[in-house]
PDB file of all heavy atoms in Angstrom:
ATOM      1  N   GLN A  28      15.023   6.461  75.227  1.00  0.00           N
ATOM      2  CA  GLN A  28      13.831   5.708  75.634  1.00  0.00           C
ATOM      3  C   GLN A  28      12.641   6.641  75.828  1.00  0.00           C
ATOM      4  O   GLN A  28      11.535   6.356  75.366  1.00  0.00           O
ATOM      5  CB  GLN A  28      14.153   4.989  76.935  1.00  0.00           C
ATOM      6  CG  GLN A  28      13.299   3.786  77.185  1.00  0.00           C
ATOM      7  CD  GLN A  28      13.676   3.188  78.542  1.00  0.00           C
ATOM      8  OE1 GLN A  28      14.832   3.276  78.974  1.00  0.00           O
ATOM      9  NE2 GLN A  28      12.711   2.621  79.214  1.00  0.00           N
ATOM     10  N   LEU A  54       7.744  15.968  81.741  1.00  0.00           N
ATOM     11  CA  LEU A  54       8.588  14.777  81.574  1.00  0.00           C
ATOM     12  C   LEU A  54      10.071  15.127  81.797  1.00  0.00           C
ATOM     13  O   LEU A  54      10.808  14.412  82.491  1.00  0.00           O
ATOM     14  CB  LEU A  54       8.378  14.226  80.158  1.00  0.00           C
ATOM     15  CG  LEU A  54       9.024  12.905  79.806  1.00  0.00           C
ATOM     16  CD1 LEU A  54       8.299  11.762  80.523  1.00  0.00           C
ATOM     17  CD2 LEU A  54       8.966  12.670  78.283  1.00  0.00           C
ATOM     18  N   ARG A  68      27.197  22.939  90.397  1.00  0.00           N
ATOM     19  CA  ARG A  68      27.073  23.943  91.487  1.00  0.00           C
ATOM     20  C   ARG A  68      25.828  24.810  91.326  1.00  0.00           C
ATOM     21  O   ARG A  68      25.438  25.522  92.226  1.00  0.00           O
ATOM     22  CB  ARG A  68      28.348  24.783  91.593  1.00  0.00           C
ATOM     23  CG  ARG A  68      28.601  25.662  90.394  1.00  0.00           C
ATOM     24  CD  ARG A  68      30.034  26.192  90.430  1.00  0.00           C
ATOM     25  NE  ARG A  68      30.460  26.500  89.084  1.00  0.00           N
ATOM     26  CZ  ARG A  68      30.821  27.699  88.688  1.00  0.00           C
ATOM     27  NH1 ARG A  68      30.806  28.702  89.521  1.00  0.00           N
ATOM     28  NH2 ARG A  68      31.204  27.891  87.446  1.00  0.00           N
ATOM     29  N   HIS A  69      25.203  24.768  90.150  1.00  0.00           N
ATOM     30  CA  HIS A  69      23.949  25.515  89.966  1.00  0.00           C
ATOM     31  C   HIS A  69      22.740  24.579  89.905  1.00  0.00           C
ATOM     32  O   HIS A  69      21.686  24.938  89.381  1.00  0.00           O
ATOM     33  CB  HIS A  69      24.010  26.372  88.695  1.00  0.00           C
ATOM     34  CG  HIS A  69      25.117  27.376  88.725  1.00  0.00           C
ATOM     35  ND1 HIS A  69      26.019  27.537  87.688  1.00  0.00           N
ATOM     36  CD2 HIS A  69      25.491  28.243  89.691  1.00  0.00           C
ATOM     37  CE1 HIS A  69      26.889  28.470  88.013  1.00  0.00           C
ATOM     38  NE2 HIS A  69      26.599  28.913  89.221  1.00  0.00           N
ATOM     39  N   GLY A  70      22.914  23.367  90.373  1.00  0.00           N
ATOM     40  CA  GLY A  70      21.777  22.442  90.415  1.00  0.00           C
ATOM     41  C   GLY A  70      21.646  21.590  89.171  1.00  0.00           C
ATOM     42  O   GLY A  70      20.666  20.855  89.016  1.00  0.00           O
ATOM     43  N   SER A 162      10.008  46.921  71.659  1.00  0.00           N
ATOM     44  CA  SER A 162       9.377  45.610  71.441  1.00  0.00           C
ATOM     45  C   SER A 162      10.371  44.633  70.830  1.00  0.00           C
ATOM     46  O   SER A 162      11.402  45.043  70.269  1.00  0.00           O
ATOM     47  CB  SER A 162       8.164  45.756  70.517  1.00  0.00           C
ATOM     48  OG  SER A 162       8.585  46.209  69.260  1.00  0.00           O
ATOM     49  N   THR A 176      16.067  36.838  78.692  1.00  0.00           N
ATOM     50  CA  THR A 176      17.291  37.629  78.521  1.00  0.00           C
ATOM     51  C   THR A 176      16.996  38.632  77.410  1.00  0.00           C
ATOM     52  O   THR A 176      16.756  38.237  76.264  1.00  0.00           O
ATOM     53  CB  THR A 176      18.478  36.737  78.112  1.00  0.00           C
ATOM     54  OG1 THR A 176      18.610  35.691  79.076  1.00  0.00           O
ATOM     55  CG2 THR A 176      19.773  37.521  78.018  1.00  0.00           C
ATOM     56  N   ALA A 179      18.773  45.633  75.006  1.00  0.00           N
ATOM     57  CA  ALA A 179      18.198  46.965  74.764  1.00  0.00           C
ATOM     58  C   ALA A 179      19.335  47.978  74.755  1.00  0.00           C
ATOM     59  O   ALA A 179      20.417  47.727  75.305  1.00  0.00           O
ATOM     60  CB  ALA A 179      17.202  47.302  75.869  1.00  0.00           C
ATOM     61  N   ILE A 190      24.535  48.627  73.297  1.00  0.00           N
ATOM     62  CA  ILE A 190      23.565  47.583  73.681  1.00  0.00           C
ATOM     63  C   ILE A 190      23.924  46.998  75.052  1.00  0.00           C
ATOM     64  O   ILE A 190      25.100  46.737  75.331  1.00  0.00           O
ATOM     65  CB  ILE A 190      23.546  46.454  72.610  1.00  0.00           C
ATOM     66  CG1 ILE A 190      23.104  47.015  71.247  1.00  0.00           C
ATOM     67  CG2 ILE A 190      22.630  45.302  73.046  1.00  0.00           C
ATOM     68  CD1 ILE A 190      23.203  46.025  70.095  1.00  0.00           C
ATOM     69  N   PRO A 209       1.368  32.277  64.116  1.00  0.00           N
ATOM     70  CA  PRO A 209       1.188  30.964  63.475  1.00  0.00           C
ATOM     71  C   PRO A 209       2.352  30.741  62.514  1.00  0.00           C
ATOM     72  O   PRO A 209       2.834  31.700  61.912  1.00  0.00           O
ATOM     73  CB  PRO A 209      -0.129  31.118  62.689  1.00  0.00           C
ATOM     74  CG  PRO A 209      -0.607  32.512  62.913  1.00  0.00           C
ATOM     75  CD  PRO A 209       0.480  33.301  63.556  1.00  0.00           C
ATOM     76  N   ALA A 263      17.027  15.424  60.633  1.00  0.00           N
ATOM     77  CA  ALA A 263      17.581  14.770  59.441  1.00  0.00           C
ATOM     78  C   ALA A 263      17.699  13.258  59.644  1.00  0.00           C
ATOM     79  O   ALA A 263      17.326  12.461  58.766  1.00  0.00           O
ATOM     80  CB  ALA A 263      18.953  15.361  59.113  1.00  0.00           C
ATOM     81  N   CYS A 301      24.227  12.931  57.133  1.00  0.00           N
ATOM     82  CA  CYS A 301      23.961  12.953  58.583  1.00  0.00           C
ATOM     83  C   CYS A 301      25.235  12.653  59.370  1.00  0.00           C
ATOM     84  O   CYS A 301      25.538  13.322  60.365  1.00  0.00           O
ATOM     85  CB  CYS A 301      22.882  11.934  58.962  1.00  0.00           C
ATOM     86  SG  CYS A 301      21.222  12.431  58.491  1.00  0.00           S
ATOM     87  N   TYR A 309      29.620  16.996  66.969  1.00  0.00           N
ATOM     88  CA  TYR A 309      30.266  16.385  68.134  1.00  0.00           C
ATOM     89  C   TYR A 309      31.666  16.984  68.343  1.00  0.00           C
ATOM     90  O   TYR A 309      32.142  17.096  69.463  1.00  0.00           O
ATOM     91  CB  TYR A 309      30.365  14.860  67.980  1.00  0.00           C
ATOM     92  CG  TYR A 309      29.032  14.128  68.128  1.00  0.00           C
ATOM     93  CD1 TYR A 309      27.818  14.808  68.092  1.00  0.00           C
ATOM     94  CD2 TYR A 309      29.004  12.747  68.306  1.00  0.00           C
ATOM     95  CE1 TYR A 309      26.609  14.125  68.216  1.00  0.00           C
ATOM     96  CE2 TYR A 309      27.798  12.054  68.442  1.00  0.00           C
ATOM     97  CZ  TYR A 309      26.603  12.753  68.392  1.00  0.00           C
ATOM     98  OH  TYR A 309      25.412  12.083  68.515  1.00  0.00           O
ATOM     99  N   GLU A 319      38.004  24.862  75.164  1.00  0.00           N
ATOM    100  CA  GLU A 319      38.465  25.731  74.081  1.00  0.00           C
ATOM    101  C   GLU A 319      37.703  27.065  74.150  1.00  0.00           C
ATOM    102  O   GLU A 319      36.470  27.088  74.232  1.00  0.00           O
ATOM    103  CB  GLU A 319      38.193  25.025  72.733  1.00  0.00           C
ATOM    104  CG  GLU A 319      38.376  25.869  71.501  1.00  0.00           C
ATOM    105  CD  GLU A 319      39.825  26.271  71.219  1.00  0.00           C
ATOM    106  OE1 GLU A 319      40.727  25.454  71.473  1.00  0.00           O
ATOM    107  OE2 GLU A 319      40.023  27.410  70.759  1.00  0.00           O
ATOM    108  N   LEU A 331      25.504  25.558  60.499  1.00  0.00           N
ATOM    109  CA  LEU A 331      25.309  25.684  59.055  1.00  0.00           C
ATOM    110  C   LEU A 331      25.131  24.307  58.400  1.00  0.00           C
ATOM    111  O   LEU A 331      24.155  24.057  57.683  1.00  0.00           O
ATOM    112  CB  LEU A 331      26.529  26.387  58.437  1.00  0.00           C
ATOM    113  CG  LEU A 331      26.631  26.395  56.916  1.00  0.00           C
ATOM    114  CD1 LEU A 331      25.519  27.241  56.321  1.00  0.00           C
ATOM    115  CD2 LEU A 331      27.997  26.940  56.465  1.00  0.00           C
ATOM    116  N   TYR A 351       2.778   9.660  49.401  1.00  0.00           N
ATOM    117  CA  TYR A 351       2.571   9.502  50.849  1.00  0.00           C
ATOM    118  C   TYR A 351       3.446  10.473  51.650  1.00  0.00           C
ATOM    119  O   TYR A 351       3.125  10.838  52.771  1.00  0.00           O
ATOM    120  CB  TYR A 351       2.830   8.053  51.265  1.00  0.00           C
ATOM    121  CG  TYR A 351       1.795   7.125  50.669  1.00  0.00           C
ATOM    122  CD1 TYR A 351       2.057   6.409  49.499  1.00  0.00           C
ATOM    123  CD2 TYR A 351       0.535   7.024  51.252  1.00  0.00           C
ATOM    124  CE1 TYR A 351       1.097   5.598  48.928  1.00  0.00           C
ATOM    125  CE2 TYR A 351      -0.438   6.213  50.685  1.00  0.00           C
ATOM    126  CZ  TYR A 351      -0.153   5.501  49.520  1.00  0.00           C
ATOM    127  OH  TYR A 351      -1.119   4.712  48.960  1.00  0.00           O
ATOM    128  N   GLU A 360       6.541  14.859  56.130  1.00  0.00           N
ATOM    129  CA  GLU A 360       6.153  16.229  55.721  1.00  0.00           C
ATOM    130  C   GLU A 360       6.321  17.189  56.905  1.00  0.00           C
ATOM    131  O   GLU A 360       6.756  18.331  56.730  1.00  0.00           O
ATOM    132  CB  GLU A 360       4.740  16.263  55.114  1.00  0.00           C
ATOM    133  CG  GLU A 360       3.574  16.032  56.082  1.00  0.00           C
ATOM    134  CD  GLU A 360       3.081  17.292  56.769  1.00  0.00           C
ATOM    135  OE1 GLU A 360       3.142  18.369  56.173  1.00  0.00           O
ATOM    136  OE2 GLU A 360       2.617  17.178  57.925  1.00  0.00           O
ATOM    137  N   ILE A 368      13.156  25.996  59.621  1.00  0.00           N
ATOM    138  CA  ILE A 368      13.508  27.059  60.574  1.00  0.00           C
ATOM    139  C   ILE A 368      14.964  26.962  61.022  1.00  0.00           C
ATOM    140  O   ILE A 368      15.585  27.964  61.387  1.00  0.00           O
ATOM    141  CB  ILE A 368      12.558  27.052  61.800  1.00  0.00           C
ATOM    142  CG1 ILE A 368      12.761  28.313  62.660  1.00  0.00           C
ATOM    143  CG2 ILE A 368      12.714  25.810  62.650  1.00  0.00           C
ATOM    144  CD1 ILE A 368      12.522  29.608  61.961  1.00  0.00           C
ATOM    145  N   THR A 375      20.811  33.463  60.431  1.00  0.00           N
ATOM    146  CA  THR A 375      20.510  32.725  59.191  1.00  0.00           C
ATOM    147  C   THR A 375      21.792  32.052  58.681  1.00  0.00           C
ATOM    148  O   THR A 375      22.898  32.412  59.091  1.00  0.00           O
ATOM    149  CB  THR A 375      20.000  33.675  58.091  1.00  0.00           C
ATOM    150  OG1 THR A 375      21.062  34.593  57.771  1.00  0.00           O
ATOM    151  CG2 THR A 375      18.762  34.448  58.535  1.00  0.00           C
ATOM    152  N   LEU A 388      39.522  34.489  57.652  1.00  0.00           N
ATOM    153  CA  LEU A 388      40.411  35.593  57.279  1.00  0.00           C
ATOM    154  C   LEU A 388      41.342  35.990  58.426  1.00  0.00           C
ATOM    155  O   LEU A 388      42.365  36.625  58.210  1.00  0.00           O
ATOM    156  CB  LEU A 388      39.590  36.799  56.806  1.00  0.00           C
ATOM    157  CG  LEU A 388      38.949  36.580  55.429  1.00  0.00           C
ATOM    158  CD1 LEU A 388      37.910  37.653  55.123  1.00  0.00           C
ATOM    159  CD2 LEU A 388      40.003  36.538  54.339  1.00  0.00           C
ATOM    160  N   LEU A 396      51.792  27.059  52.339  1.00  0.00           N
ATOM    161  CA  LEU A 396      52.073  27.330  50.919  1.00  0.00           C
ATOM    162  C   LEU A 396      53.549  27.643  50.684  1.00  0.00           C
ATOM    163  O   LEU A 396      53.954  27.891  49.554  1.00  0.00           O
ATOM    164  CB  LEU A 396      51.227  28.530  50.453  1.00  0.00           C
ATOM    165  CG  LEU A 396      49.726  28.378  50.681  1.00  0.00           C
ATOM    166  CD1 LEU A 396      49.002  29.665  50.320  1.00  0.00           C
ATOM    167  CD2 LEU A 396      49.168  27.226  49.841  1.00  0.00           C
ATOM    168  N   SER A 400      55.295  26.483  44.446  1.00  0.00           N
ATOM    169  CA  SER A 400      55.785  27.475  43.473  1.00  0.00           C
ATOM    170  C   SER A 400      54.737  27.684  42.397  1.00  0.00           C
ATOM    171  O   SER A 400      53.787  26.931  42.274  1.00  0.00           O
ATOM    172  CB  SER A 400      57.095  27.008  42.876  1.00  0.00           C
ATOM    173  OG  SER A 400      56.917  25.715  42.331  1.00  0.00           O
TER     174      SER A 400
END
Side-chain angles (χ1 to χ4, degrees):
Q28 204 182 329
L54 187 72
R68 66 194 155 119
H69 300 130
S162 63
T176 305
I190 298 173
C301 286
Y309 288 14
E319 169 68 36
L331 170 67
Y351 294 98
E360 70 87 32
I368 190 59
T375 64
L388 288 168
L396 305 174
S400 55

